[in-house]
Each structure stands twice: as C-alpha cells, then as structure tokens.
C-alpha cells in the first residue's frame, strides 16, 4: 500500500507516538516529524485507525481526550454521545434489555468527530493547524488502496459473522459474503469518500451538514431512535480532569461518565499498601484486591454526570484512600464476583517537540458496535447505549439526553521527578487493571517500559462469551506465582500468553531533559516511535 508515511525508525527522540496498529502510529508520527502538534498527530492517527481497525473504533463512535501542556493543568475533552431524544424506555417496550445489535442498539450520538474538532481548536491556539486534507491523507489512502486484514480483525469478523453478515451494508467488511481472512486486502471506498468530504467541508458537516443528514436518514431506516435534531444539537465538551496525588506524583484521568475514578483509586490504594509486597505474587494479589475495592465504588456511583449522587473527587480524598487501604488483606482474596463490563477500544498516545502530550481513547464499544453501517457513508455506528438499563431503579436507567457508563478512560501522570507519562489501553473492564499493571511495574518495580507492557498480565472478571468472574492469568506468568494466588483464595484460570483479552496497551514517557520514549503492546498490531 502506497502512502506518504515514514517506513523507518524515527531519528527524532523528542517526539513520540504509539498506537495499537502500525499504520496509525506511522500516520501520527509523520505529522509530528513534519512539525505538527500532538493533537494534530492524534487526529491523523484517529482517522487512520478508524480505517485499519474498523472493528474496534470509528467515526460512528466516541472519544475521550487528556491533553497536557508543560507547566499547565491538563484539560479533558468528553466526546461521548448522549441518548437520542426519542430514546426513552417506551421506545423499547417489549424489550427486557436494550438490544446489543441492530438499529435499536444505535442509541447514542457519536462524539468522536466533534472531539477531533474541539481538540483542533486547542491545537490552533498553539500554532496554525495543518489542513484536514493533510491530516486525513493517510486514512484516505488506506481506505482507497485497501487495508490488510490483521489477526485481530479476522477474529472479530468470524466472531460477529452470524450476527451481522445478513446486513447488506455490512458486506463492506466481508469478502464475497464470507468472513475476513488474515492477509487479505479490504477496501472501504465509501469511508474514503466520507473522509474526503469532511476534509473539504469541515468536521461540522458530520453533525450539521450533508453527512449528518445522510447518517440520520440511514440510522432512522435501520430502526435507531437517532434523528437529525440529535446530530444538530451535539457538541463535544471541554471538561476538567480528576486527579489524585501519590508518593510518585499526580495521576490524572476523566470523571463521569467514564471509569477514570476507578483507575485512579486502584493506584492510590496500591500506593498505601505496596510496601507489603515482598514477591511477585504479593504484588499481583495487592493490585487485584485494590481493583475490587475500586470497582465496588465505581459500580455504585458512576453514572451520567447530571445524576451523580456525590462528587467523584470525594472518593479520592486521603482519608477515603486510607480507609480503603485498611480493608486490603495481604493473605486473603476478597470473595468476588459481580457484573463485569466488556468492550473493544483503541488507545493512543503522543508527545510533540514542545512537550505537549495527548492520551486519547476511541471506541465503538463492542466489535463493530451496533453492526449498523450507514450505506451512504460507510460509517459503523456504536452500541454504547447498551450500557443503559431499562430498570427504573438503576443508576444507568435510560433517559433521553443522558450518557451511559463508559469503560473508556485515558490516563496521564506527572511524576515528582519531572517526568510525564501518557498511557492507556483498550479492554473494557480490563482498562483500569492494565493501566495499574503497566504503571506499577514501570514506576514501583523499575521494570523498563517496553517490558512492563509486554510481560504477562491478568484480568479480573468476565470477558466476551464467558460468564465466569475469575482471575484470568496469562500462561507466561510463573506457575509458582499462580499457585500462590490460588492459595490466597483467588479462583484462577490460565489463558494463552499475549492474549488480546488483556488489552492493547501503550505508553509515551517524556523525561525532564526532553527525551521521549514510547512503547506498544505485542498483543496488538501496533508500533511505537521512538522505542
């Protein structure tokens, strides 16, 4: 495939980019190496990965941003969609739950493109932006020339085939009506044309222009409650991140409706108990127990920002962290289970030559989202609205204009030594757990960044097609560690090494001297510059 991308290792060590697909990483790095900002690089990569990883994310999905300038407080962007005006419980009369596939699963507006627009306004305040033609050139070329099917995309194609193959518009993700095969080339001409239109008309066209009108018509035809007025009313929002201070620095994430507070809680609680860890088994056990405490609070409190019972920052006070830490038992696992939350996503990180950093996450929720593909635009729509409940007593009860719970949460930390790190992963329920594993290995165990990401991981809770709530452990973790965890009461299941269920993680670190290092996950098809 011919593109304008760099195909060799970057010679620059003051910029960095990581993504779970090499083509998106190259697209982002190319923008950095030609003088673009971290935000511009991220938009270029976000468009690219929407093409080359279409099962994980897309223009019909959501996004969350954490943006940091040196010496300034980080800012966030909530680019997640709200439920349609017609999306009431009455709309789903006769349904026990909101359907996971089809038109009725397309409940919420897609916010990703509005997030790109909002972020680029911030970038414009730093320096004149590159044109959308330039930022989208890689993605357009990939959609026109064709993307090579990866193992991850092939697996998703086979997994969803029985549910989605009958849809005429979904045929763009099949080969002659059959599931995709690794190594084959798939072209997405309609998506290429949509990206060209957005480049020419501007990103607002997605909501208040011809593309918005096409999408609204196609979604209504498919049975979605979304209408044109939902598009016209939508705007991504600048939000203030939440944070917590630990012995190593200040950690940042996003508040409701994301599970960012859980990610912060895990690491803040662990900071209080890590001195107890004398072995790898201690280390993993303590992190898992911290995860349980964080998830119990997350499930009780996190909902749409407009119906929160408390300010989530009250969960992050030193007093509350200390109380939670006292409930951790080094020798005994807390009995589990509870309802776990799946999800497929992409996380990407960037750092530009001025030290401005971005942590960004973009998602359709499930693989191929709702499965609804707009025949006019080639855009796949998300099914994030399935996180709503039809139970009026639930804090996730469906109401028009409200946002569902999001597993998405981009992470960022400012260390006391002056270093800064943007990090994250896909993986639904696993996102806070993988963030904690990477962070604690790199920061507390002093393991090199690449190894911190590559080493065997664990996942507490249910995954796709599996109703168990056990502790899943990759087989490359030492067997003696696994035996020790079992002896403490953990119900352990061994899974294959380098398992995609453990997420596609990555990180970008900027040292006080301006040197940048990035790393990606061997469980993905990713690339990192420099590594």
């Amino acid at each position: 495939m011919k593109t304008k991308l760099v195909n060799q290792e970057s010679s620059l060590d003051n910029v960095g980019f990581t993504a779970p697909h090499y083509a998106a990483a190259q697209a982002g790095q190319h923008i950095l190496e030609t003088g673009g900002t971290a935000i511009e690089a991220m938009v270029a990569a976000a468009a690219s990965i929407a093409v080359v990883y279409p099962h994980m994310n897309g223009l019909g999905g959501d996004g969350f941003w954490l943006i940091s300038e040196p010496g300034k407080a980080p800012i966030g962007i909530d680019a997640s969609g709200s439920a349609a005006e017609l999306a009431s419980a009455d709309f789903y009369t006769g349904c026990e739950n909101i359907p996971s596939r089809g038109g009725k699963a397309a409940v919420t507006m897609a916010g990703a493109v509005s997030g790109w627009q909002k972020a680029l306004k911030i970038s414009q305040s730093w320096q004149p932006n590159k044109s959308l033609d330039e930022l989208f050139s890689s993605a357009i070329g990939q959609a026109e020339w064709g993307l090579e099917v990866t193992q991850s995309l092939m697996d998703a194609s086979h997994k969803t085939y029985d549910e989605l193959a009958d849809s005429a518009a979904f045929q763009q993700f099949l080969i002659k009506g059959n599931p995709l095969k690794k190594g084959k080339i798939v072209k997405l001409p309609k998506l290429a044309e949509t990206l060209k239109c957005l480049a020419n008309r501007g990103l607002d066209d997605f909501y208040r222009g011809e593309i918005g009108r096409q999408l609204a018509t196609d979604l209504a035809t498919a049975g979605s409650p979304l209408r044109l007025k939902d598009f016209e009313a939508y705007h991504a929002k600048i939000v203030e991140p939440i944070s917590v201070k630990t012995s190593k620095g200040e950690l940042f994430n996003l508040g409701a409706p994301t599970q960012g507070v859980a990610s912060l809680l895990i690491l803040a609680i662990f900071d209080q108990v890590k001195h107890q860890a004398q072995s790898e088994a201690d280390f993993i056990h303590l992190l898992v127990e911290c995860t349980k405490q964080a998830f119990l609070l997350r499930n009780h409190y996190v909902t749409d920002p407009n119906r929160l019972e408390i300010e989530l920052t009250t969960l992050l006070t030193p007093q509350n962290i200390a109380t939670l830490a006292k409930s951790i038992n080094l020798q005994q696992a807390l009995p589990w289970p509870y309802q776990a939350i799946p999800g497929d996503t992409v996380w990407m990180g960037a750092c530009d030559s001025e030290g401005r950093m971005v942590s960004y996450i973009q998602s359709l929720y499930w693989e191929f989202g709702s499965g609804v593909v707009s025949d006019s635009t080639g855009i796949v729509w998300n099914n994030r609205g399935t996180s709503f409940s039809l139970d009026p007593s639930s804090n996730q009860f469906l109401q028009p204009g409200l946002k569902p719970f999001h597993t998405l949460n981009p992470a960022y930390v400012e260390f006391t030594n002056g270093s800064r790190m943007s990090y994250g992963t896909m993986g639904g329920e696993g996102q806070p757990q993988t963030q904690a594993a990477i962070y604690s290995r790199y920061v507390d165990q002093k393991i090199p960044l690449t190894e911190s990401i590559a080493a065997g991981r664990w996942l507490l809770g249910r995954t796709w097609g599996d109703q168990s709530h056990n502790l899943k452990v990759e087989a490359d973790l030492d067997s003696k560690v696994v035996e020790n965890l079992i002896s403490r009461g953990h119900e352990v299941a061994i899974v294959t090494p380098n398992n995609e269920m453990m997420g596609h993680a990555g990180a970008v670190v900027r040292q006080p001297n301006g040197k940048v290092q990035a790393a990606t996950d061997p469980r993905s098809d990713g690339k990192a510059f420099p590594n």
Side-chain angles (χ1 to χ4, degrees):
M1 178 168 55
K2 296 180 180 178
T3 70
K4 298 180 180 180
L5 303 180
V6 293
N7 291 311
Q8 65 281 337
E9 296 293 338
S10 167
S11 60
L12 301 177
D13 65 1
N14 67 338
V15 299
F17 202 97
T18 183
H21 193 288
Y22 63 89
Q26 289 176 324
Q29 184 70 7
H30 174 73
I31 296 300
L32 292 174
E33 292 188 346
T34 54
T37 69
I39 288 174
E40 290 176 303
M42 192 58 69
V43 170
S48 169
I49 207 160
V51 174
V52 297
Y53 250 22
H55 57 307
M56 295 282 192
N57 77 114
L59 280 67
D62 298 307
F64 290 94
W65 295 73
L66 252 178
I67 301 167
S68 167
E69 289 184 75
K72 296 184 179 180
I75 59 173
I77 298 174
D78 178 346
S80 64
S82 304
E85 189 174 316
L86 295 178
S88 66
D90 290 342
F91 187 87
Y92 293 91
T93 298
C95 299
E96 291 187 9
N97 300 293
I98 295 171
S100 57
R101 304 291 193 186
K104 286 193 172 183
V107 183
T108 58
M109 179 50 55
V113 174
S114 183
W116 300 355
Q117 184 179 31
K118 187 72 71 174
L120 286 171
K121 287 183 179 179
I122 297 172
S123 178
Q124 181 69 30
S125 71
W126 297 343
Q127 65 185 55
N129 280 336
K130 293 176 178 288
S131 69
L132 289 175
D133 283 327
E134 183 173 354
L135 297 183
F136 287 174
S137 62
S138 296
I140 291 169
Q142 289 155 354
E144 288 183 330
W145 285 87
L147 60 110
E148 183 177 339
V149 177
T150 62
Q151 184 70 46
S152 177
L153 178 52
M154 185 185 81
D155 290 345
S157 179
H158 281 266
K159 188 184 297 185
T160 59
Y161 181 78
D162 290 342
E163 285 185 292
L164 305 179
D166 290 340
S167 167
F170 194 78
Q171 298 304 304
Q172 71 179 27
F173 297 116
L174 302 174
I175 297 178
K176 296 181 179 179
N178 295 311
L180 301 178
K181 293 183 178 180
K182 184 179 179 181
K184 295 294 185 179
I185 302 299
V186 175
K187 297 181 179 181
L188 301 174
K190 289 182 180 179
L191 187 56
E193 188 60 33
T194 296
L195 287 166
K196 289 179 182 178
C197 289
L198 288 173
N200 291 333
R201 301 174 192 160
L203 297 178
D204 204 58
D205 196 77
F206 187 95
Y207 301 94
R208 287 162 283 275
E210 181 59 27
I211 291 175
R213 289 188 286 273
Q214 291 173 334
L215 285 168
T217 298
D218 289 348
L219 286 164
T221 300
S224 167
L226 286 162
R227 298 293 184 268
L228 181 59
K229 57 186 175 182
D230 297 306
F231 281 81
E232 292 174 340
Y234 183 77
H235 296 274
K237 296 180 179 179
I238 300 289
V239 294
E240 183 179 353
I242 57 175
S243 67
V244 67
K245 290 184 178 179
T246 71
S247 63
K248 299 296 184 179
E250 187 169 8
L251 292 86
F252 297 85
N253 214 299
L254 296 189
T258 82
Q259 65 174 337
V261 68
S263 296
L264 297 179
L265 279 168
I266 294 169
L267 289 171
I269 300 167
F270 183 73
D271 194 58
Q272 298 287 314
V273 300
K274 65 185 180 183
H275 64 277
Q276 301 177 34
Q278 302 300 313
S279 67
E280 182 69 5
D282 288 348
F283 176 83
I284 295 174
H285 169 78
L286 288 170
L287 278 172
V288 171
E289 295 307 294
C290 293
T291 297
K292 292 174 182 177
Q293 295 296 323
F295 281 5
L296 289 170
L297 290 173
R298 177 201 69 180
N299 289 356
H300 184 77
Y301 290 112
V302 178
T303 182
D304 179 275
N306 293 307
R307 58 181 176 193
L308 288 172
E309 295 178 13
I310 63 170
E311 291 290 334
L312 295 182
T313 52
T314 62
L315 300 177
L316 298 168
T317 62
Q319 296 84 356
N320 190 56
I321 298 299
T323 299
L324 294 169
K326 289 177 183 177
S327 67
I328 303 295
N329 187 325
L330 179 62
Q331 302 304 327
Q332 184 63 46
L334 180 73
W336 211 237
Y338 80 106
Q339 183 65 30
I341 302 159
D344 274 329
T345 303
V346 297
W347 177 89
M348 300 183 288
C351 180
D352 64 28
S353 60
E354 298 299 315
R356 298 171 295 223
M357 301 185 76
V358 170
S359 181
Y360 178 63
I361 197 159
Q362 185 167 276
S363 177
L364 292 171
Y365 195 28
W366 289 20
E367 291 146 317
F368 293 112
S370 64
V372 174
V373 181
S374 162
D375 191 49
S376 303
T377 65
I379 290 173
V380 188
W381 209 258
N382 73 85
N383 66 338
R384 184 62 63 171
T386 60
S387 294
F388 281 120
S389 171
L390 296 178
D391 178 1
S393 66
S394 170
N395 68 349
Q396 305 299 334
F397 180 58
L398 174 66
Q399 290 183 268
L402 294 187
K403 296 186 176 187
F405 172 81
H406 277 264
T407 52
L408 311 182
N409 66 112
Y412 167 74
V413 58
E414 294 179 350
F415 295 109
T416 53
N417 67 0
S419 298
R420 298 153 61 223
M421 180 168 72
S422 167
Y423 64 109
T425 182
M426 63 82 108
E429 189 80 342
Q431 287 183 36
Q433 302 181 59
T434 296
Q435 286 182 18
I438 293 167
Y439 175 96
S440 53
R441 282 172 171 164
Y442 178 67
V443 176
D444 297 312
Q445 294 187 302
K446 310 299 182 185
I447 297 173
L449 187 63
T450 299
E451 186 180 340
S452 294
I453 293 171
R457 293 205 290 263
W458 59 90
L459 173 68
L460 177 69
R462 181 173 61 86
T463 59
W464 292 111
D466 179 5
Q467 296 305 311
S468 66
H469 300 268
N470 51 24
L471 181 64
K472 295 163 183 68
V473 175
E474 289 185 306
D476 50 350
L477 280 176
D478 191 298
S479 60
K480 291 182 179 179
V481 171
V482 174
E483 291 171 5
N484 192 296
L485 291 170
I486 293 171
S487 74
R488 302 186 202 205
H490 295 282
E491 181 188 347
V492 175
I494 306 298
V495 300
T496 56
N498 280 330
N499 200 304
E500 191 174 44
M501 77 165 63
M502 299 294 168
H504 294 168
V508 179
V509 177
R510 187 176 194 269
Q511 303 294 347
N513 63 4
K515 188 173 182 179
V516 174
Q517 180 191 6
T520 192
D521 200 324
R523 298 165 184 82
S524 74
D525 302 289
K527 186 74 175 175
F529 298 92
N531 54 25

